[in-house]
Amino acid sequence: MVERIRLITQHVSFLFFIYGGRLGIQLGHSLPCFSCPYASGCAGHCYLMALQSSHAGFQVSFDYLFSRFGLQVLWAFAAFLLFFIPLSKFWCAWLCPFCLFQDWLTMIRKKMGIREMIISPKVRDNIRPVKFILLGLMVIIPLAVANFGLHPDWALPFCQICPAKPILPIFTGNFSYFSIDFTNSVTLVFSLVSMVITGGFLVGMFFKERFFCMVCPMLGLMHIFKAISPLKFEKNVDTCLACGNCQRICPIDISRVHLEKKKKDVLTQDCMACMRCVESCPGDRVLTFKWFKFDLFSSSRLYLARKWSKKK
Amino acid sequence: MRLHTLVFMGVLCWIISGAAYALSVDDFLYFEKLELKKEKNGQVTQTFAIRFHGPDLDFLNVYFQQNQDAAVYQAEVENRAVSITSAASSFFRLFAFGGYGNRRYVAQTHFCLFGKSKIKIKRKPAVLSDEFVPLIEIVSPEFSYWPQTGQHFKFKINSDFSVNDVTAFVLEKQHVKTLVPNTGIFFSYIPAHDKQLRDASISAVRQDTVFARIISDKYLYHITCALFLHRSRTAFVNQRPGVAACLVTVLFFWMWIVMKRKRSKTPW
């Protein structure tokens, strides 16, 4: 039931974010999801672009940053928080258009009967900091462009290599970002790296569910502000059987939910609030997603039994 | 034989130097882009030098239009330089009009400024004379806020009298190229790509200036239009190698996964 609602929401939000601009909807440039500005006619822009830009981000000289102009950077960030705080990580699994694209690839793989790739916990642990490294580079590189004479074609470094840049415009009929830019050596390297990364992620996203989300800097940015988010994912450590169902069903293979023995809060940095773990938990009220004090969805033995009896 | 060659070369040099003299930019009034100043309050100021190497002008007025408004404003000229300030993202058309005796000099250009300030800038409305000033009108691209090298520009001499004798040329990177009229008053020009511009940033510009000389019953008009060209966004973007690079990567990783799965003893 929850899975079905999530899929419907994802499809509606995909149509909204990718084509909404054609209906005159413009939500600004601080959205906490991959509503890619390169897909012309989108309903708003991903905040990661604004973060690296010269109009609302860090591609400005230090003089400007610490003047009144700095308020523009703060304003864009405040707008990001305004969008992020109420919905928190629901932006990822429920609203992000690029997440849905990954889910489509997973659906195709499952229909073809190809098994999923297994990524070891050690590899996962090594990959985890990548999203924060990317986030750091999104601040450092634009600052270096504006202050230390780094070539201006290094501007928007993440957008230039983000796989969403060539992929999402396809849905507006634009295939032009699958290209190599021979203008100069910097554009040549960036476009070549972009194509290699896009190809690599296409394979990765096909063989592993939510492969891109493992390194998504937006998820990292959201995690930094987890404390001010009203979304809580709680576990009743006393009643949990540690059966591991939650990890088996999790698209990101998060193990902490069933391994946690002490803490109530089990919202990890990789969690995207898809709620599949809650759906698959056999214990009554063991796992609960809360929004402020309201219980959004709790695990239930009866719910799981009904779900499996329907499947059979 | 050698003497003939020398004579021929001498004559050729004399003709070329004569042609160059006839098309000398010194007898034209034109804008040259100087510094762009970004104020801390978000306003942006672009300064232009007004170049003219001829005798002193009896009068020199500079006007500008903002966006698509019909209103014309007067710009202050200081030491043959003019500054235009913008508080918002705006498109400007800048004109200079000067003259002495029976010679009239017109300089024009258009450019964008990306200001971001709430401070309102006071503009001084221009008091225009009734005299019609012929201009170089850019017919196509009709509205280009981001003119680029490799674009096909079409110009038209816009005047209230029939133009018979037009001499037009363009100064492209210090090289003079003669423009041949297509049909009387229409000219075409495709600015060449530029390695230096390609290596610079996407916002870097190169100035190419179009010069035209027309004769009316009363005056001899020398008109210029300065184009500030960016590097081409599309000319060097090639889709085939991009798609090929992506496909090769897909094939490589696909094969790698398939091979690894075949060799591995445990499911992977």
Side-chain angles (χ1 to χ4, degrees):
Chain A
M1 178 67 177
V2 173
E3 179 74 1
R4 197 170 293 170
I5 296 170
R6 190 175 64 81
L7 269 176
I8 293 167
T9 315
Q10 269 187 307
H11 281 85
V12 171
S13 81
F14 183 90
L15 294 174
F16 177 82
F17 285 120
I18 300 293
Y19 305 106
R22 290 156 199 249
L23 303 170
I25 300 160
Q26 185 46 256
L27 300 176
H29 46 246
S30 296
L31 290 178
C33 70
F34 277 51
S35 176
C36 186
Y38 292 97
S40 59
C42 61
H45 298 178
C46 165
Y47 176 62
L48 295 180
M49 184 186 241
L51 186 71
Q52 307 160 75
S53 71
S54 57
H55 65 276
F58 286 93
Q59 203 192 310
V60 284
S61 67
F62 290 122
D63 288 358
Y64 274 71
L65 199 59
F66 299 110
S67 68
R68 274 179 58 188
F69 183 84
L71 289 174
Q72 286 176 21
V73 180
L74 278 179
W75 170 240
F77 177 66
F80 164 77
L81 287 182
L82 276 175
F83 281 115
F84 164 70
I85 288 171
L87 294 170
S88 186
K89 291 198 174 184
F90 284 125
W91 280 102
C92 290
W94 294 68
L95 300 168
C96 178
F98 199 54
C99 257
L100 180 66
F101 174 76
Q102 293 182 78
D103 285 353
W104 283 339
L105 291 183
T106 303
M107 283 176 209
I108 295 167
R109 178 180 54 77
K110 281 179 179 171
K111 288 262 183 233
M112 290 168 78
I114 300 170
R115 72 170 186 268
E116 192 177 22
M117 187 165 70
I118 297 163
I119 297 178
S120 71
K122 195 183 169 188
V123 173
R124 279 192 173 281
D125 287 345
N126 290 336
I127 290 172
R128 200 158 288 135
V130 171
K131 55 172 93 72
F132 295 104
I133 293 167
L134 288 172
L135 210 53
L137 290 175
M138 272 186 253
V139 175
I140 293 165
I141 293 175
L143 276 174
V145 170
N147 295 283
F148 304 115
L150 188 66
H151 194 282
D153 283 332
W154 276 81
L156 305 178
F158 179 72
C159 292
Q160 293 200 58
I161 56 164
C162 176
K165 180 189 167 183
I167 291 169
L168 289 181
I170 289 175
F171 299 98
T172 60
N174 182 1
F175 291 82
S176 67
Y177 293 109
F178 279 92
S179 55
I180 301 288
D181 188 350
F182 292 94
T183 302
N184 59 46
S185 53
V186 181
T187 59
L188 175 66
V189 170
F190 264 120
S191 53
L192 196 60
V193 169
S194 165
M195 287 301 96
V196 170
I197 285 179
T198 304
F201 271 104
L202 278 172
V203 178
M205 292 184 297
F206 181 80
F207 282 101
K208 178 79 194 99
E209 201 170 357
R210 300 292 172 89
F211 184 73
F212 179 76
C213 300
M214 288 197 295
V215 293
C216 176
M218 187 67 90
L219 206 53
L221 190 63
M222 285 181 179
H223 185 71
I224 294 170
F225 299 99
K226 183 188 134 182
I228 54 168
S229 148
L231 187 76
K232 305 276 179 246
F233 182 28
E234 291 178 355
K235 174 186 165 178
N236 187 343
V237 284
D238 301 325
T239 52
C240 175
L241 300 168
C243 64
N245 258 4
C246 48
Q247 188 186 351
R248 277 188 286 278
I249 204 80
C250 178
I252 313 275
D253 300 334
I254 297 168
S255 58
R256 214 198 109 191
V257 177
H258 75 93
L259 293 177
E260 183 61 57
K261 303 281 183 209
K262 289 175 187 170
K263 284 182 188 170
K264 206 174 159 186
D265 174 26
V266 282
L267 190 67
T268 59
Q269 59 166 275
D270 287 336
C271 178
M272 295 177 298
C274 67
M275 297 191 183
R276 278 198 214 168
C277 50
V278 185
E279 272 193 296
S280 63
C281 179
D284 282 329
R285 297 191 65 78
V286 170
L287 296 176
T288 308
F289 264 97
K290 283 184 173 178
W291 194 74
F292 288 104
K293 284 181 180 175
F294 307 103
D295 286 2
L296 288 177
F297 185 45
S298 284
S299 60
S300 147
R301 186 190 300 239
L302 193 66
Y303 178 90
L304 186 65
R306 276 187 191 156
K307 189 183 166 189
W308 281 101
S309 62
K310 268 184 195 171
K311 275 198 175 177
K312 280 174 186 176
Chain B
M1 187 69 180
R2 188 177 285 175
L3 184 69
H4 283 118
T5 312
L6 281 170
V7 169
F8 173 73
M9 291 296 281
V11 169
L12 194 66
C13 284
W14 178 76
I15 290 168
I16 289 169
S17 65
Y21 176 76
L23 296 172
S24 169
V25 299
D26 287 353
D27 201 22
F28 283 89
L29 183 77
Y30 60 95
F31 288 112
E32 197 177 289
K33 212 172 201 176
L34 297 180
E35 61 175 331
L36 176 78
K37 203 176 165 190
K38 290 181 179 179
E39 311 284 350
K40 283 186 178 174
N41 60 16
Q43 291 183 352
V44 178
T45 302
Q46 175 68 60
T47 307
F48 291 91
I50 303 165
R51 300 283 183 220
F52 183 67
H53 303 287
D56 285 346
L57 295 168
D58 292 341
F59 64 94
L60 175 65
N61 296 312
V62 181
Y63 310 105
F64 67 93
Q65 282 179 299
Q66 191 168 357
N67 295 328
Q68 304 297 323
D69 301 345
V72 180
Y73 303 99
Q74 185 101 37
E76 296 282 325
V77 183
E78 272 181 55
N79 300 326
R80 286 275 170 93
V82 61
S83 294
I84 305 293
T85 303
S86 179
S89 293
S90 303
F91 178 75
F92 289 92
R93 287 172 213 275
L94 185 65
F95 308 93
F97 186 43
Y100 69 87
N102 70 337
R103 286 184 179 235
R104 291 291 177 265
Y105 296 92
V106 185
Q108 62 184 93
T109 187
H110 60 271
F111 59 96
C112 278
L113 290 179
F114 301 98
K116 206 170 185 182
S117 168
K118 285 182 180 172
I119 301 166
K120 280 200 170 182
I121 298 165
K122 284 183 182 173
R123 307 277 193 215
K124 191 178 164 190
V127 184
L128 298 170
S129 67
D130 295 336
E131 188 182 331
F132 188 90
V133 181
L135 292 169
I136 297 173
E137 186 189 331
I138 300 174
V139 181
S140 82
E142 203 173 330
F143 174 75
S144 174
Y145 84 97
W146 201 264
Q148 296 162 48
T149 56
Q151 257 182 340
H152 191 164
F153 287 92
K154 273 187 184 171
F155 305 101
K156 179 192 167 191
I157 304 292
N158 198 352
S159 67
D160 67 340
F161 53 88
S162 61
V163 179
N164 300 319
D165 185 15
V166 186
T167 314
F169 64 99
V170 61
L171 188 68
E172 182 186 285
K173 289 181 76 188
Q174 310 300 323
H175 298 292
V176 174
K177 285 183 179 176
T178 308
L179 296 177
V180 183
N182 294 351
T183 47
I185 53 170
F186 288 93
F187 299 88
S188 286
Y189 170 54
I190 301 172
H193 296 297
D194 184 344
K195 178 81 174 73
Q196 213 178 337
L197 202 60
R198 280 167 63 185
D199 289 340
S201 76
I202 197 153
S203 56
V205 289
R206 180 186 86 196
Q207 177 169 350
D208 285 5
T209 314
V210 179
F211 299 82
R213 187 167 55 187
I214 55 174
I215 303 164
S216 79
D217 296 339
K218 273 169 79 180
Y219 300 112
L220 175 64
Y221 288 100
H222 284 191
I223 316 167
T224 65
C225 177
L227 297 169
F228 299 105
L229 302 162
H230 297 267
R231 76 183 190 204
S232 176
R233 277 177 187 266
T234 52
F236 305 99
V237 176
N238 204 333
Q239 241 179 317
R240 275 186 192 172
V243 173
C246 190
L247 286 177
V248 166
T249 317
V250 167
L251 276 174
F252 173 79
F253 282 110
W254 194 286
M255 295 301 286
W256 181 70
I257 288 171
V258 169
M259 295 298 279
K260 202 168 175 191
R261 279 188 169 183
K262 274 188 178 174
R263 284 178 190 169
S264 131
K265 286 170 188 169
T266 51
W268 185 82

